[in-house]
Amino acid sequence: MPHATGTVEHLLVATGHVTAGPTDAPRLLGPGDLLAFAGDAPHLYRTGTDPADITVVIASPIVN
């Protein structure tokens, strides 16, 4: 599910491989890859059969 308007997701891959990003343009990422994308639009995370170690930072705007 998309997040609040203006949210940005940052994904850093430590080990393994993951396909992630906007649903209309996902990218295959491996160890050391970093991807930032709009979290307020449809997006996905998908791994294969092997485990992946990833860090995700979700930066949401402050809403008053």
Side-chain angles (χ1 to χ4, degrees):
M1 174 169 209
H3 301 284
T5 300
T7 298
V8 176
E9 294 197 24
H10 302 83
L11 172 65
L12 174 63
V13 181
T15 63
H17 291 85
V18 60
T19 300
T23 55
D24 62 348
R27 292 187 44 203
L28 177 61
L29 307 169
D33 287 340
L34 173 66
L35 177 66
F37 57 90
D40 58 1
H43 54 279
L44 61 85
Y45 295 89
R46 181 176 46 230
T47 61
T49 56
D50 295 329
D53 183 3
I54 61 174
T55 299
V56 178
V57 175
I58 300 174
S60 297
I62 295 174
V63 179
N64 293 324

